[in-house]
Amino acid sequence: MRDSLPPGLGETGANRPLRVAMVSVHTSPLEQPGTGDAGGMNVYVLELSRALARRGAQVEIYTRATTSAQPKVTDAEPGIRVIHVSAGPYEGLDKNDLPGQLCAFAAGVLRAEAHRPEGWYDVLHTHYWLSGQVGWLAAERWDVPLVHTMHTMARVKNASLAPGDAPEPHGRIIGEEQVVAESDVLVANTEQEAADLVRDYRADPGRVRVVQPGVDLDVFSPPPDVDGRDPAERDRRRAAQRAGLRERLALPVDRKIVLFAGRVQLLKGPDVLVRALGERVWEEGDGQPPLLVVLGGASGRPTAVRELEALAYQEGVAAHVLVRPPVPQQVLADYFRAADLVAVPSHSESFGLVAAEAQATGTPVVAAAVGGLRTVVEDGVSGVLVPDHEPESWALVLKSLLDDDALRAGLAVGARASSTRFGWDRAADEILDVYEQARKHHSTRPQPVPR
């Protein structure tokens, strides 16, 4: 853990704490991930803020108010404040409606900061292109370095659309290009994302830094080891341990379980898993597919969950699909531990936080070989990467793993070892270095007109 902040950051006449403004327009870090527009980015913003606060930084997160009941300012945790900005109607707006509210949101951010002494913030860190548009204006107004994390990019998503999914609009691409040009430093989750930024958005390679997100390794941890020198006895105790966990979660004890955790939308690919359950490969052996547990809510279309359940009925596998709402992180970790496999069939992922969290609990992951999942999942070590989204391919891989207890046990060991690569303390240390790099770059820019 870093003992002190980088030279130059957060230093005035007295060595005060680093003050970070974060902007997350379309989704609040306080929302439950797994439904609507809330997902891995919520976890990223909150966990990074926590790690920065542990290092003495003061973090203020600006996000759009979505209900009238939300307080304007919430002291979420020591060192972390969430500011809800009114911009447009509280309800009825999805992500695609928000570009028309960016002016109102930016005005709210500037108004909230205006009562502070000049030079209050040391750095501005924005998340997703909508926030980057707001940050571009605010950073210039406040004369602070702008750091931006894309999380997802329109050109990358459009290159790997799920069948039936709508492409991202050209206006988003233009907005992303502007944010790339104006940011002092761009944070990429993986080397692949960094290459995408340079290739697709003409980003300056010298201003792109790779910082892999972390996993809360205290929450997402393997089940406690069981005693017993005899291997057969240890296996029996482990089975009893898992059975007890499944009983607490109201899951069947005597079935193989494949878990999907995330928003129910075409991009995330839960339909691939439902179709895979309908493949003929399951007729071999005991003649039935595993139970697919879907933890997630509708995203994009309010009928997404009902459509997934209707697809299961059409495929004749409704009895093998169980849909439940998203759950808090501590409960999610128990679901990971209770599953035989976790499946991540996304068509596009900048990182793949679910895969990293599942592996940290010691559960092997079957994932699509796309984006950041190729970094998170070590093929043949912590899980298996599937080269396409064909239901038969997924059925074959899932069945081969579910039929081989020894293979899954070996992957479970690899999953636990692989998870040690990811930690939020390491990520925060690297982000502090990014902030210092951004400060140095910002100092070379033409000075804005004094206000």
Side-chain angles (χ1 to χ4, degrees):
M1 180 179 290
R2 183 187 293 273
D3 295 324
S4 60
L5 297 173
L9 276 176
E11 294 182 358
T12 58
N15 188 17
R16 62 166 174 76
L18 173 72
R19 293 174 182 152
V20 181
M22 290 202 188
V23 180
S24 178
V25 171
H26 78 277
T27 180
S28 168
L30 303 182
E31 293 293 325
Q32 168 64 54
T35 189
D37 290 323
M41 196 176 96
N42 297 62
V43 178
Y44 181 106
V45 173
L46 181 59
E47 293 296 340
L48 176 60
S49 298
R50 284 171 170 163
L52 290 172
R54 287 196 293 270
R55 282 148 179 73
Q58 295 178 352
V59 183
E60 295 188 336
I61 305 167
Y62 292 88
T63 189
R64 195 179 79 88
T66 54
T67 72
S68 59
Q70 288 172 324
K72 289 187 176 180
V73 178
T74 299
D75 288 319
E77 296 180 17
I80 303 173
R81 175 170 290 178
V82 177
I83 302 169
H84 295 103
V85 178
S86 295
Y90 293 120
E91 299 176 355
L93 296 182
D94 67 21
K95 201 160 48 177
N96 294 328
D97 298 318
L98 293 182
Q101 300 302 323
L102 292 183
C103 182
F105 187 90
V109 170
L110 295 177
R111 192 178 299 119
E113 185 271 349
H115 72 282
R116 297 270 179 68
E118 187 172 349
W120 182 262
Y121 293 118
D122 299 295
V123 64
L124 176 56
H125 190 168
T126 56
H127 302 270
Y128 194 68
W129 77 277
L130 294 171
S131 304
Q133 288 281 313
V134 174
W136 172 14
L137 172 66
E140 185 173 283
R141 175 71 171 171
W142 300 340
D143 189 20
V144 297
L146 174 61
V147 174
H148 181 72
T149 304
M150 280 290 196
H151 293 282
T152 65
M153 292 177 278
R155 283 197 170 105
V156 175
K157 290 181 69 174
N158 287 348
S160 55
L161 283 176
D165 208 356
E168 294 295 316
H170 188 60
R172 174 180 171 180
I173 295 174
I174 295 172
E176 289 174 340
E177 290 175 337
Q178 292 169 332
V179 173
V180 167
E182 294 299 324
S183 297
D184 290 289
V185 179
L186 295 159
V187 176
N189 290 325
T190 63
E191 294 288 349
Q192 178 61 58
E193 186 181 354
D196 293 338
L197 280 165
V198 174
R199 183 193 65 238
D200 295 338
Y201 291 87
R202 300 183 298 280
D204 177 357
R207 292 193 290 116
V208 178
R209 288 282 299 273
V210 176
V211 179
Q212 292 182 344
V215 172
D216 187 335
L217 298 176
D218 292 326
V219 172
F220 297 99
S221 59
D225 287 334
V226 293
D227 296 326
R229 294 183 179 180
D230 178 61
E233 176 65 13
R234 286 200 303 270
D235 290 345
R236 189 192 67 78
R237 293 184 181 182
R238 284 176 182 143
Q241 186 183 64
R242 174 173 284 186
L245 181 57
R246 287 189 176 187
E247 287 174 353
R248 291 199 302 274
L249 297 173
L251 295 173
V253 173
D254 57 350
R255 289 195 64 180
K256 292 294 198 306
I257 293 178
V258 175
L259 177 69
F260 170 92
R263 289 169 287 167
V264 178
Q265 59 176 195
L266 290 173
L267 175 70
K268 298 297 183 181
D271 57 297
V272 174
L273 299 175
V274 171
R275 295 182 195 278
L277 296 186
E279 291 294 314
R280 296 179 63 89
V281 299
W282 303 107
E283 296 175 4
E284 305 170 12
D286 60 13
Q288 73 169 357
L291 178 67
L292 172 62
V293 178
V294 176
L295 285 183
S299 179
R301 293 198 300 269
T303 58
V305 171
R306 293 200 299 272
E307 291 170 6
L308 188 69
E309 291 172 331
L311 176 63
Y313 179 80
Q314 293 165 8
E315 292 286 327
V317 296
H320 307 298
V321 178
L322 175 62
V323 181
R324 290 182 174 175
V327 294
Q329 282 195 313
Q330 290 80 0
V331 182
L332 177 60
D334 279 341
Y335 270 95
F336 287 151
R337 297 181 190 111
D340 294 284
L341 295 171
V342 171
V344 188
S346 303
H347 292 265
S348 177
E349 284 285 355
S350 61
F351 182 63
L353 192 58
V354 166
E357 290 171 343
Q359 290 179 167
T361 67
T363 300
V365 173
V366 179
V370 299
L373 290 170
R374 289 176 290 193
T375 298
V376 174
V377 179
E378 295 183 86
D379 193 27
V381 176
S382 65
V384 175
L385 293 173
V386 183
D388 56 46
H389 292 84
E390 295 298 324
E392 183 178 13
S393 300
W394 280 80
L396 289 169
V397 171
L398 291 172
K399 189 173 191 306
S400 67
L401 292 175
L402 293 174
D403 287 349
D404 193 333
D405 294 345
L407 177 56
R408 287 201 319 282
L411 292 174
V413 173
R416 290 193 292 270
S418 180
S419 68
T420 60
R421 297 177 292 156
F422 308 115
W424 281 112
D425 286 328
R426 172 205 50 77
D429 285 343
E430 294 181 17
I431 286 292
L432 288 173
D433 289 336
V434 168
Y435 291 168
E436 173 61 10
Q437 179 184 347
R439 183 191 69 83
K440 291 177 180 177
H441 181 268
H442 182 76
S443 67
T444 66
R445 289 192 166 201
Q447 294 298 306
V449 177
R451 48 175 163 172

